[in-house]
Amino acid sequence: MALWAGAAAGLTGCAAAGGAGAPGAPGAPGGRPDRAVGDTIRVTPRDGAEGVAPDARLEVRVPDGRLEGVRVRRIEDAQPADVPGALSPDGLSWRPEPGTRLATAAKYAVDAVALDGHGRRSARHTTFTTLVPDHRFIGYFSPENRSTVGTGMIVSFRFNRPVRDRAAVERAVRVTADPPVEVVGHWFGADRLDLRPEEYWRPGTEVTVDVRLRDVEAAPGVYGIQQRTVRFTVGRSQVSLVDAEAHTMRVRRDGRLLATLPVTAGAPKTTTYNGRMVVTELYEVTRMNGATVGFKDARGKSEYDIKDVPHAMRLTTSGTFLHGNYWAPAGTFGSANVSHGCIGLRDVKGGSAKTPAGWFFEQTLVGDVVEVVNSRDRKVAPDNGLGGWNMDWRQWRAGSALR
């Protein structure tokens, strides 16, 4: 059995002022090198690797100290599953059980937490995709089957090959809801299809995603292989409004004000995006390295590298997070903007459920909406994370191949 510390891990960073992440930022194509600056957790295959063979080497290793927990999981699939494995007796490595083979045409996430030789905690999150048979295509999608999500969730497909016949592919992906509501697709380029209703989902809605891509010809001679049904439930409504000028976040549950929390947003030179963003990932602890999103000093070194950021909630693909902050003085929250584009809530080292960050983390679902106003930045792009709510219904419908 894989040992797991109960904390997800990531190599991430805050978004640059006014922009999507730099090349190599989380979610950018092409992947990143196996080791970032100062990294201690080494993962094979490298982060962002594509076309990994089912019997390829899979390993997590640290040079000293010990691994506290490792989890390798097939994600963005109708049936997510853990890869069975174990830590070595000395705690320096993790490998899958002998004879384990990865699934083809699948996406995997590796989450690891380690303590170095001085007892300092570090975290890492990587992903890779396995080999897709020649002349076949697959769509990696969210949310996960049987999940409960916030009312701002957008069904999102990312295809491993460019789609030429977008109408055929969109027609083969059917999203229905109970109670009924019209759901329309919107294409971002040739490899991404997002689907949503005109307004946020009604709480309690049961959503079914029928994927009927098997034998659908997406491009000349390239056919789909997926045939499955995914279901998820929309939970309560939670929308949080961040006022970057007032340094506050108002958290509303089903329209009722739950709390007003003091925050710190992006500093004048590294402002936070305005607009509606959706929580897509939740990490109890993660690593934030500025180099991954272009924050480097004159020597090319990362401006920051915090290996144990607590209570982190991803808002954009380019690296905007709402997260706990234990390194800024308590008086910063509610009075000043000092971050590199993220939204910070007061926390303590190691994280605590009794802090504003810990409280908000426990209240949050993937799919919850966080809206930022009064920041001196542009509105977040609709394809940066699940930012599609920043387009009006006419614009959204215009992006469908079926209209």
Side-chain angles (χ1 to χ4, degrees):
M1 295 290 292
L3 296 178
W4 182 236
L11 177 64
T12 55
C14 291
R32 302 185 291 281
D34 177 56
R35 296 187 67 194
V37 178
D39 196 20
T40 57
I41 303 174
R42 308 172 190 177
V43 179
T44 304
R46 67 175 176 84
D47 190 19
E50 299 176 348
V52 175
D55 56 354
R57 178 185 169 209
L58 176 57
E59 182 182 52
V60 181
R61 174 175 291 276
V62 290
D64 57 23
R66 64 180 175 86
L67 287 164
E68 197 173 39
V70 174
R71 186 184 193 188
V72 181
R73 188 169 187 248
R74 188 174 72 230
I75 59 174
E76 298 186 11
D77 192 278
Q79 295 181 322
D82 287 341
V83 175
L87 294 175
S88 60
D90 59 10
L92 292 176
S93 65
W94 177 96
R95 294 186 181 91
E97 290 182 357
T100 298
R101 286 177 61 86
L102 302 176
T104 57
K107 185 173 184 178
Y108 286 86
V110 180
D111 290 295
V113 179
L115 295 176
D116 67 14
H118 302 284
R120 295 171 299 196
R121 180 173 278 106
S122 181
R124 185 123 195 242
H125 169 84
T126 68
T127 61
F128 64 89
T129 54
T130 55
L131 184 69
V132 178
D134 289 343
H135 309 301
R136 294 288 183 174
F137 81 96
I138 188 171
Y140 304 105
F141 57 87
S142 58
E144 293 186 357
N145 191 36
R146 299 181 181 177
S147 58
T148 298
V149 301
T151 54
M153 190 68 211
I154 294 176
V155 179
S156 184
F157 283 78
R158 190 175 292 276
F159 301 101
N160 71 309
R161 291 189 171 94
V163 174
R164 292 269 296 275
D165 192 343
R166 299 181 192 180
V169 171
E170 187 176 342
R171 198 175 292 114
V173 178
R174 185 166 180 258
V175 181
T176 56
D178 183 18
V181 64
E182 182 185 18
V183 180
V184 174
H186 184 100
W187 287 88
F188 295 106
D191 63 355
R192 177 174 168 182
L193 172 65
D194 285 9
L195 303 104
R196 69 166 177 89
E198 181 175 3
E199 305 291 343
Y200 298 147
W201 301 97
R202 183 187 305 178
T205 299
E206 299 288 338
V207 183
T208 300
V209 184
D210 283 312
V211 184
R212 297 292 179 261
L213 291 172
R214 183 177 296 165
D215 298 328
V216 172
E217 190 173 19
V222 179
Y223 296 88
I225 59 177
Q226 291 166 295
Q227 192 89 358
R228 59 187 53 157
T229 299
V230 174
R231 295 181 175 87
F232 64 90
T233 301
V234 179
R236 79 292 174 276
S237 168
Q238 182 168 297
V239 178
S240 302
L241 182 68
V242 174
D243 188 323
E245 192 172 87
H247 317 293
T248 60
M249 180 171 71
R250 295 179 180 272
V251 184
R252 293 188 181 275
R253 174 74 58 81
D254 296 319
R256 181 175 62 88
L257 183 65
L258 277 187
T260 300
L261 303 176
V263 303
T264 181
K269 292 184 179 179
T270 53
T271 47
T272 305
Y273 290 119
N274 284 294
R276 293 188 281 181
M277 293 169 263
V278 175
V279 175
T280 56
E281 295 175 297
L282 296 162
Y283 299 117
E284 291 184 9
V285 58
T286 191
R287 180 181 178 193
M288 290 190 175
N289 185 323
T292 65
V293 286
F295 289 120
K296 301 178 184 179
D297 60 22
R299 298 172 298 168
K301 301 293 185 180
S302 178
E303 292 184 9
Y304 59 88
D305 187 3
I306 305 170
K307 298 182 179 181
D308 59 347
V309 177
H311 298 131
M313 294 151 273
R314 180 184 285 276
L315 300 179
T316 70
T317 305
S318 64
T320 310
F321 276 75
L322 197 164
H323 61 77
N325 180 324
Y326 63 79
W327 51 91
T332 303
F333 305 95
S335 64
N337 290 331
V338 300
S339 85
H340 281 73
C342 288
I343 302 159
L345 290 168
R346 184 176 59 80
D347 212 332
V348 296
K349 191 173 179 63
S352 169
K354 297 180 180 180
T355 63
W359 176 83
F360 185 72
F361 186 87
E362 293 301 321
Q363 304 299 317
T364 299
L365 292 173
V366 167
D368 282 348
V369 177
V370 176
E371 183 175 3
V372 177
V373 298
N374 295 328
S375 177
R376 295 181 181 179
D377 204 331
R378 67 176 185 267
K379 185 177 291 186
V380 64
D383 61 345
N384 191 356
L386 300 181
W389 298 110
N390 294 291
M391 302 178 73
D392 65 32
W393 192 232
R394 180 187 59 79
Q395 293 172 311
W396 185 265
R397 289 171 61 93
S400 169
L402 303 180
R403 303 291 160 176

